[in-house]
């Protein structure tokens, strides 16, 4: 069995490359800035403006199934390369999409598949290089790139939209994404077949309470009840978060009168989204995955109950930041929990199947939020629905117990 400082260094290199790719893929979360311009300049409805984002999220999630299987079999490098080219193409072609249907195909389908290919090749290979006691931390670092992206993408996109227009904005974002992802993909590699990650050093994170001793195949995983509980938790948490995130710029404008700096709530939401990913991943290595999710869901539900009362710019910014902090927790915790419960050998396809819940959430959350706004004239009912979803998710997390290592296979 192989233990050395060289594999450990290689593991950090893979984690850094995965973080960089996710930093580019996170342009998905700047959609609320683009959607606001589509409503204003192209006269789209709020529901139409949310549709490309929703379809992109759905395609991203469902692509994870076969992309995860592909990278489990052939390695992550070629999968990320193909994804980078497709994601860049989807953004570039969106410059010529002047109808919701055309944008659904370019940004939604092409861009979403590209994101799914890339995302499937970032977290799983990084986790394979590290022991169970560090998986939450590593997952948090790698997925933090997606959350942090809107910090620069939101103001950059808003500046490009004003300086060059919608068409050139898509072209520039697409070309840049393709080049950078292709370069970073060369650093992605799985550990050798005989590799066993060295234990965490003394004083570092302890062993999580749920470390599987077997590597389950996807069909074995689907026979466990715990998979469906995790799937429901991801669906509820992501739907509630995306209902707000997809409309963040419009909420800031309608509820608190934030216009000129409309990207600010989006950027701050992204910063705290990133912090939530980093903090929760590390905390879950000690506290446990489901316990950490339960706490995050409950706190987010309280925030949603109060969101309609955030009427000033300062209060709205606080609410958006807290939304990002809690929403971000699901992204390191779900892949880490999948690795804990079902092993790392088939992590790509196993997590891809779990991640289909995010695809459903990506359609349900943003479109529901847009429909409620179009029908009622406000987002108040969206907040209340989000709160109910999160409380149900917290109850499911409370009821979920880690598997006993010796019994993991027979669950």
């Amino acid at each position: 069995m192989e233990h050395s400082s060289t594999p450990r260094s290689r593991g950090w290199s893979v984690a850094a490359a995965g973080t960089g790719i996710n930093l580019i893929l996170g342009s998905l979360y700047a959609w609320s800035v683009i959607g606001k311009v589509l409503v204003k300049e192209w006269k789209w409805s709020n529901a139409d403006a949310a549709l490309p984002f929703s379809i992109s999220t759905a395609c991203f999630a469902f692509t994870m199934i076969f992309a995860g299987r592909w990278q489990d079999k052939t390695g992550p490098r070629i999968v990320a390369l193909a994804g980078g080219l497709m994601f860049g193409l989807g953004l570039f072609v969106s410059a010529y999409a002047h109808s919701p249907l055309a944008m659904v195909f370019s940004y939604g389908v092409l861009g979403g598949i590209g994101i799914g290919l890339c995302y499937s090749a970032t977290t799983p290979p990084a986790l394979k290089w590290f022991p169970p006691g560090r998986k939450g931390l590593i997952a948090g670092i790698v997925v933090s790139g997606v959350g942090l992206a809107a910090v620069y993408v939101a103001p950059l996109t808003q500046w490009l939209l004003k300086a060059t227009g919608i068409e050139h904005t898509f072209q520039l974002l697409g070309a840049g994404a393709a080049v950078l992802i292709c370069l970073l993909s060369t650093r992605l590699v799985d550990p050798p077949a005989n590799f066993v990650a060295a234990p965490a050093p003394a004083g570092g994170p302890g062993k999580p309470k749920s470390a599987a001793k077997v590597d389950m195949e996807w069909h074995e995983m689907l026979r466990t009840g715990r998979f469906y509980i995790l799937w429901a938790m991801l669906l509820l948490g992501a739907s509630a978060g995306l209902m707000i995130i997809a409309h963040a710029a419009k909420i800031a404008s309608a509820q608190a009168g934030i216009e000129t700096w409309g990207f600010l709530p989006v950027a701050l939401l992204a910063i705290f989204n990133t912090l939530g990913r980093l903090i929760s991943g590390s905390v879950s290595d000690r506290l446990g995955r489901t316990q950490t999710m339960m706490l995050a869901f409950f706190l987010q539900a309280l925030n949603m109950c109060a969101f309609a009362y955030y009427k000033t710019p300062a209060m709205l910014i606080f609410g958006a930041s807290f939304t990002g902090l809690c929403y971000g927790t699901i992204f390191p915790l779900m892949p880490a929990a999948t690795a804990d419960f079902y092993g790392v050998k088939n992590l790509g396809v196993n997590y891809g199947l779990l991640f289909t819940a995010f695809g459903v959430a990506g359609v349900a959350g943003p479109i529901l939020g847009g429909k409620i706004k179009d029908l009622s004239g406000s987002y108040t009912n969206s907040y209340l629905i989000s709160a109910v979803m999160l409380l149900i998710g917290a109850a499911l997390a409370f009821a979920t117990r880690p598997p006993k290592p010796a019994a993991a296979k027979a669950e």
Side-chain angles (χ1 to χ4, degrees):
M1 298 299 182
E2 182 179 349
H3 295 285
S4 74
S5 59
T6 300
R8 183 176 296 172
S9 300
R10 190 62 183 272
W12 283 109
S13 175
V14 172
T19 304
I21 290 173
N22 285 339
L23 192 62
I24 300 165
L25 299 180
S27 59
L28 178 70
Y29 289 101
W31 178 257
S32 65
V33 176
I34 297 174
K36 182 180 177 181
V37 175
L38 294 176
V39 171
K40 183 177 180 180
E41 295 187 11
W42 289 5
K43 309 305 178 185
W44 290 16
S45 70
N46 286 287
D48 284 342
L51 190 59
F53 175 89
S54 296
I55 298 302
S56 178
T57 305
C59 290
F60 156 31
F62 285 94
T63 298
M64 289 274 290
I65 301 173
F66 73 82
R69 190 66 168 175
W70 184 12
Q71 74 92 26
D72 280 339
K73 296 295 185 181
T74 65
R77 185 176 297 161
I78 187 66
V79 180
L81 177 63
L85 292 173
M86 186 165 287
F87 177 55
L89 177 64
L91 286 173
F92 195 89
V93 173
S94 293
Y96 309 97
H98 291 272
S99 69
L101 183 60
M103 191 73 77
V104 162
F105 173 74
S106 60
Y107 188 91
V109 177
L110 291 179
I113 291 174
I115 294 172
L117 290 170
C118 290
Y119 194 73
S120 73
T122 56
T123 306
L127 291 183
K128 291 175 182 178
W129 287 94
F130 294 90
R134 286 197 181 276
K135 291 193 188 302
L137 172 64
I138 298 303
I141 291 172
V142 175
V143 301
S144 69
V146 178
L148 191 60
V151 174
Y152 78 90
V153 172
L156 173 63
T157 301
Q158 186 155 313
W159 179 80
L160 287 173
L161 287 167
K162 289 183 178 179
T164 66
I166 296 175
E167 292 88 349
H168 288 152
T169 296
F170 276 124
Q171 290 173 344
L172 292 170
L173 291 176
V179 171
L180 291 174
I181 292 175
C182 289
L183 289 174
L184 288 168
S185 68
T186 61
R187 305 301 301 167
L188 296 177
V189 64
D190 281 332
N194 65 338
F195 176 77
V196 175
K207 183 178 179 180
K209 295 179 173 63
S210 54
K213 298 299 184 183
V214 296
D215 289 301
M216 283 195 183
E217 295 285 347
W218 66 269
H219 51 85
E220 295 176 297
M221 179 185 71
L222 293 180
R223 290 199 292 267
T224 68
R226 186 175 288 106
F227 169 81
Y228 299 96
I229 295 175
L230 290 174
W231 194 93
M233 288 164 58
L234 178 53
L235 171 65
L236 292 166
S239 294
L242 290 170
M243 192 182 299
I244 307 305
I245 290 171
H247 299 274
K250 295 191 286 291
I251 290 173
S253 174
Q255 193 163 307
I258 301 176
E259 293 289 350
T260 304
W261 296 90
F263 69 85
L264 185 60
V266 180
L268 286 173
L269 189 153
I271 291 173
F272 281 87
N273 184 353
T274 304
L275 289 175
R277 295 169 190 237
L278 290 169
I279 294 170
S280 65
S282 181
V283 167
S284 74
D285 284 333
R286 297 173 172 84
L287 184 63
R289 316 299 182 201
T290 56
Q291 292 92 331
T292 307
M293 281 187 270
M294 179 184 66
L295 178 62
F297 285 3
F298 180 73
L299 293 175
Q300 179 75 303
L302 294 180
N303 183 48
M304 288 297 101
C305 288
F307 216 94
Y309 301 98
Y310 299 154
K311 299 289 189 179
T312 66
M315 290 301 294
L316 194 285
I317 287 171
F318 165 80
S321 300
F322 198 83
T323 296
L325 184 70
C326 296
Y327 171 76
T329 62
I330 63 179
F331 295 99
L333 299 186
M334 287 297 177
T338 305
D340 288 348
F341 295 172
Y342 306 113
V344 298
K345 180 180 178 181
N346 304 299
L347 181 58
V349 65
N350 287 347
Y351 182 53
L353 286 165
L354 179 63
F355 205 73
T356 58
F358 186 77
V360 178
V363 174
I367 290 180
L368 181 59
K371 285 290 186 182
I372 290 173
K373 176 63 167 63
D374 290 336
L375 292 173
S376 68
S378 77
Y379 288 99
T380 299
N381 289 332
S382 298
Y383 307 146
L384 297 177
I385 292 171
S386 293
V388 172
M389 289 178 175
L390 289 159
L391 289 173
I392 296 172
L396 290 174
F398 177 76
T400 303
R401 293 291 178 266
K404 295 179 181 179
K409 182 84 172 178
E411 178 192 8

